[in-house]
Amino acid sequence: MNPKSKTRYYLGLLSVVFLFLVGCRTASKRNYFDSKFECFAESGWRDNDKFQKYIENAWLPTRLLYQSDNTNLKQSRIVITGNSLAQLFLPELIQKEFPGEKVVNRGIGGDMTETLLTRIEDDVLVLQPDIIIIEIGGNDMIQGKCLSIIQNNVLKIVEKIQSSKPQTQIYFMAVPPTRVRELNQIVPVFNLFLNQVAYKYKNVKYIEVWDVMREIDSPTLREEYVRPNKDPLHFNEKGYEVWGEKLRPYLKK
């Protein structure tokens, strides 16, 4: 599959994922500060039927494509993985932000910590990367997952990477601000945890983005980073310029 066809394929799958997620965003089920909130401790999404359709129509097809690519690539020094924010870091944007670097993208829209944990060995570690960039956690919080479960999954991801290749550098991108109030309330709590993981584990770093991407006087995504379609969850190309600026110092050989 040529790069342009692959980009169209990814964007098509992401549109499918977005449609699935729209029905899963009942405010009381994702608002950790609501008096009626009960965190979700099961696997998958709160709507299991939609989760199964997502797995069949988006997650598995993307994994099959990645596994085919991995067979041909065999190795990559840098791999980026995680959810739709990772997947939307499209090849042309990666080339723009990291000229001369070979960065392989293994993001999947809709991915959560539990599904990334399931696939990271076959989709990412098989490439024996020296650097893994991870953006994950937002979809867990959209589902109102119990924070203890999300955090435990992150630790398992780190431990799985380090047991495979201890010297691999792991860079956790902060879950960014959005235009969704309930997420902006809880995400900083999760990001604080990621920062703590970086202190606890060798070869793990936390990359902050809220310092640049939030409104000056409000905990929400700045207008200049909002996508043209007013998508409340994802940022535009200027957001990936922030990623590039933050990451470039760490990717030098």
Side-chain angles (χ1 to χ4, degrees), residues 42-235:
E42 299 177 25
S43 61
W45 297 350
R46 289 181 184 267
D47 188 326
N48 186 60
D49 288 341
K50 284 188 176 179
F51 180 67
Q52 294 305 320
K53 289 178 182 177
Y54 155 73
I55 292 294
E56 294 170 9
N57 296 327
W59 194 76
L60 285 175
T62 307
R63 290 203 62 203
L64 288 173
L65 178 63
Y66 287 161
Q67 288 171 24
S68 175
D69 277 355
N70 288 349
T71 300
N72 295 323
L73 284 172
K74 302 189 186 312
Q75 196 274 336
S76 178
R77 191 176 81 87
I78 305 170
V79 178
I80 181 168
T81 192
N83 55 33
S84 53
L85 287 172
Q87 192 173 8
L88 282 168
F89 204 177
L90 299 172
E92 56 268 29
L93 297 177
I94 289 175
Q95 186 175 24
K96 176 185 173 184
E97 296 304 321
F98 311 120
E101 291 282 5
K102 176 63 176 177
V103 181
V104 171
N105 192 316
R106 291 294 177 260
I108 298 183
D111 224 7
M112 298 179 292
T113 55
E114 65 188 60
T115 46
L116 177 59
L117 177 62
T118 297
R119 70 183 182 87
I120 195 164
E121 187 168 356
D122 291 337
D123 292 3
V124 177
L125 297 180
V126 70
L127 293 172
Q128 292 293 302
D130 295 327
I131 296 171
I132 300 176
I133 303 162
I134 301 174
E135 200 289 326
I136 200 69
N139 291 320
D140 299 69
M141 287 175 277
I142 286 175
Q143 298 300 324
K145 294 273 189 172
C146 298
L147 289 175
S148 59
I149 292 175
I150 307 174
Q151 293 169 355
N152 191 46
N153 287 337
V154 168
L155 295 179
K156 287 180 179 178
I157 288 169
V158 171
E159 289 163 2
K160 181 170 281 193
I161 293 170
Q162 295 193 335
S163 66
S164 173
K165 193 177 178 185
Q167 298 307 311
T168 297
Q169 300 293 315
I170 304 170
Y171 300 124
F172 277 108
M173 302 301 300
V175 178
T178 66
R179 284 299 176 103
V180 179
R181 182 183 64 182
E182 295 86 6
L183 286 179
N184 291 341
Q185 290 175 331
I186 191 62
V187 159
V189 176
F190 177 67
N191 284 341
L192 178 61
F193 164 75
L194 291 180
N195 196 21
Q196 291 170 338
V197 172
Y199 278 104
K200 180 179 178 181
Y201 286 84
K202 186 179 179 181
N203 297 328
V204 177
K205 289 183 175 60
Y206 167 74
I207 311 297
E208 183 60 88
V209 299
W210 276 67
D211 56 341
V212 177
M213 298 184 72
R214 73 167 177 84
E215 292 284 6
I216 294 175
D217 295 318
S218 176
T220 190
L221 184 68
R222 288 174 63 173
E223 184 65 34
E224 67 184 280
Y225 297 112
V226 175
R227 296 177 75 84
N229 63 357
K230 302 301 180 181
D231 176 346
L233 292 173
H234 305 98
F235 50 72

Side-chain angles (χ1 to χ4, degrees), residues 20 72 105 176 245 251:
F20 285 145
N72 295 323
N105 192 316
E245 183 178 354
L251 303 191

